[in-house]
Amino acid sequence: MWTVRVALFCVALIAAACSADEAPETVGFTASEESGRRRTPAVDLDAALDADLGACEPTPTGEPILIGMVMDFTDTSAFADIPGSQAAAHLGALITCAGGVDGSPLEVAIVDSEGDGATAIVETNDLVDRGASFLIGPPFEEVGRPVLDASAGRAAVFFAASTERGLASAAEHGYLVTFDDRGQATAAAEYALEQGWTRAVTFTFPGPYFGTNPTVFSEAFEADDGVIVADQRYVPIDDTDFSAQAAALDPVLRDGDVIYTAMLAFQLSALRQDLAALGHDDLVFMTPDVFEATGGLAEPGLDGVIHTTHAFRDEGGRIDRLIESYEQTTGEQLESGTFAGLYADSLLLGLQAMADCGCRSGSDVADAVNQINGFDGFTGPMTFEGTDGLPAKAVSIHQRVDGVDTLLADWG
């Protein structure tokens, strides 16, 4: 196991450039007069994104704000946790460079659980005991649940890239920063039917994610008069030859049928080739957020695939600026841009809760998350008030066109 603890310092002289009549754009919710809540900006996000880490001046002198990240860098979760932790640490550095939060620098403590629940428990307890104001956890329940159990309500845990509903629990202070699998699979089914695509085939592997997404897609599709023509089984990661499944489907497939699956991008490419070899080259391929996470935007042979994901990286937008800043600073590419935005939002949500409650204690900050309404950071508006830890937010539906990710709709 290895541990990286990044103390992030620097200050920027940006606030002086803003007049009282021209306040900086902030991130966080704006309270309505009817609710009686006051506006409590947490971070001037655009000022942070403009910060130059090579030109920070005086270090904020307040007590550092400790943010714990219990990650899983094994093959199971590395696709999200590695770029996500890099993005969150970089954003922390930018915020500190732009003056910090209430004059305090951010300290981002990144630990690798190595996919082991027992290790995750030890690291979680250590971070909470050290005074972490909130935690950011890994994508899947095998490690995420031990983190949530160990935190035991003493700190909010933001599961940045998880779509597993079981990790969302306001009572336990566990929060998804994404929609769940039911949300994205339902959005895909509804979108398909709106396009007039009424026949579909699913590829399923029993269990969470690889089984949940196609199962929910089927339920939503059939509930609105769509027809599931067939379901084929496969093994995630391992299977790369789909000739047998293609042969079984050959007699029933028609042009324009939807193929919906949560398989990894390289597997989807192989499946598409095997179906095309039998003459089925006019099918609609749809997939959840695993497509982007496993390199679907660069994998050969996947043009035209429609995928649900978490936000659109528009040129000059916040995700684009964060990625550009990271790459200019480090000289390294930041993978999975949308997922990077989720981890950055996790950091911002914790800071927003701190600003809203005027507190730093983990349990008090966690209570404040339950009141967040209309937060808008990197991946679109989201609300936690009354949601039991699963934010109300839109599903972004994209299509790869000529190698470029293209926004089709924000659903919901």
Side-chain angles (χ1 to χ4, degrees):
M1 178 185 63
W2 57 273
T3 301
V4 179
R5 291 187 169 88
V6 188
L8 306 168
F9 305 105
C10 287
V11 72
L13 305 178
I14 297 174
C18 301
S19 69
D21 295 328
E22 189 176 25
E25 184 178 350
T26 55
V27 59
F29 73 75
T30 302
S32 65
E33 293 181 2
E34 290 80 3
S35 71
R37 295 175 184 155
R38 64 185 180 88
R39 182 174 183 173
T40 314
V43 171
D44 181 354
L45 181 54
D46 290 313
L49 290 172
D50 288 338
D52 179 357
L53 296 183
C56 297
E57 293 201 6
T59 301
T61 57
E63 181 182 355
I65 297 169
L66 178 62
I67 300 159
M69 299 188 71
V70 184
M71 301 283 92
D72 175 4
F73 292 162
T74 64
D75 289 344
T76 302
S77 302
F79 71 87
D81 275 355
I82 288 179
S85 58
Q86 291 168 336
H90 183 67
L91 178 61
L94 293 173
I95 292 171
T96 300
C97 188
V101 176
D102 286 339
S104 290
L106 304 186
E107 179 184 346
V108 179
I110 303 171
V111 297
D112 178 14
S113 68
E114 298 183 336
D116 179 67
T119 300
I121 290 171
V122 171
E123 295 291 359
T124 298
N125 282 322
D126 177 65
L127 288 165
V128 173
D129 290 345
R130 290 176 54 206
S133 292
F134 57 92
L135 304 174
I136 301 174
F140 299 113
E141 288 197 53
E142 289 82 357
V143 181
R145 172 47 63 178
V147 171
L148 190 57
D149 289 344
S151 67
R154 296 175 293 162
V157 183
F158 296 102
F159 295 100
S162 180
T163 55
E164 296 191 355
R165 183 63 179 86
L167 292 173
S169 170
E172 296 177 276
H173 294 151
Y175 306 96
L176 300 193
V177 187
T178 67
F179 41 74
D180 66 354
D181 289 326
R182 177 163 292 277
Q184 68 173 331
T186 299
E190 292 174 348
Y191 180 82
L193 290 166
E194 186 174 270
Q195 310 315 303
W197 305 327
T198 58
R199 286 168 44 96
V201 169
T202 56
F203 278 73
T204 304
F205 179 78
Y209 197 83
F210 303 107
T212 300
N213 276 287
T215 298
V216 172
F217 176 90
S218 297
E219 292 171 354
F221 199 70
E222 291 182 319
D224 200 10
D225 297 328
V227 176
I228 300 298
V229 177
D231 176 69
Q232 290 288 324
R233 295 301 174 95
Y234 75 103
V235 179
I237 302 175
D238 293 342
D239 285 355
T240 56
D241 181 353
F242 294 94
S243 57
Q245 292 98 322
L249 292 172
D250 185 32
V252 298
L253 281 177
R254 300 178 188 170
D255 288 351
D257 283 353
V258 172
I259 305 294
Y260 184 87
T261 178
M263 65 178 60
L264 279 61
F266 70 89
Q267 294 183 290
L268 186 61
S269 180
L271 169 63
R272 195 177 191 184
Q273 291 173 27
D274 286 340
L275 288 168
L278 296 179
H280 300 293
D281 52 7
D282 191 16
L283 302 170
V284 178
F285 288 84
M286 302 186 76
T287 182
D289 57 341
V290 69
F291 181 78
E292 179 188 348
T294 58
L297 298 179
E299 182 73 26
L302 290 180
D303 246 30
V305 172
I306 296 171
H307 61 109
T308 50
T309 190
H310 304 281
F312 182 63
R313 180 185 172 179
D314 54 321
E315 185 175 356
R318 285 174 169 173
I319 292 177
D320 189 57
R321 291 166 65 192
L322 177 65
I323 292 172
E324 290 291 331
S325 174
Y326 178 87
E327 293 179 354
Q328 289 172 7
T329 300
T330 66
E332 299 176 356
Q333 186 174 4
L334 187 62
E335 302 291 342
S336 301
T338 292
F339 284 81
L342 291 171
Y343 288 75
D345 271 350
S346 298
L347 184 143
L348 292 176
L349 281 162
L351 296 178
Q352 186 61 53
M354 291 176 62
D356 293 344
C357 68
C359 60
R360 289 196 179 188
S361 167
S363 58
D364 292 336
V365 172
D367 288 337
V369 178
N370 294 324
Q371 305 303 314
I372 288 178
N373 190 312
F375 172 92
D376 191 10
F378 286 88
T379 62
M382 67 183 87
T383 289
F384 285 91
E385 187 175 29
T387 65
D388 195 25
L390 175 66
K393 66 184 301 189
V395 177
S396 197
I397 303 178
H398 299 186
Q399 184 175 33
R400 178 175 150 179
V401 180
D402 296 330
V404 177
D405 199 30
T406 304
L407 178 64
L408 297 179
D410 282 323
W411 203 265

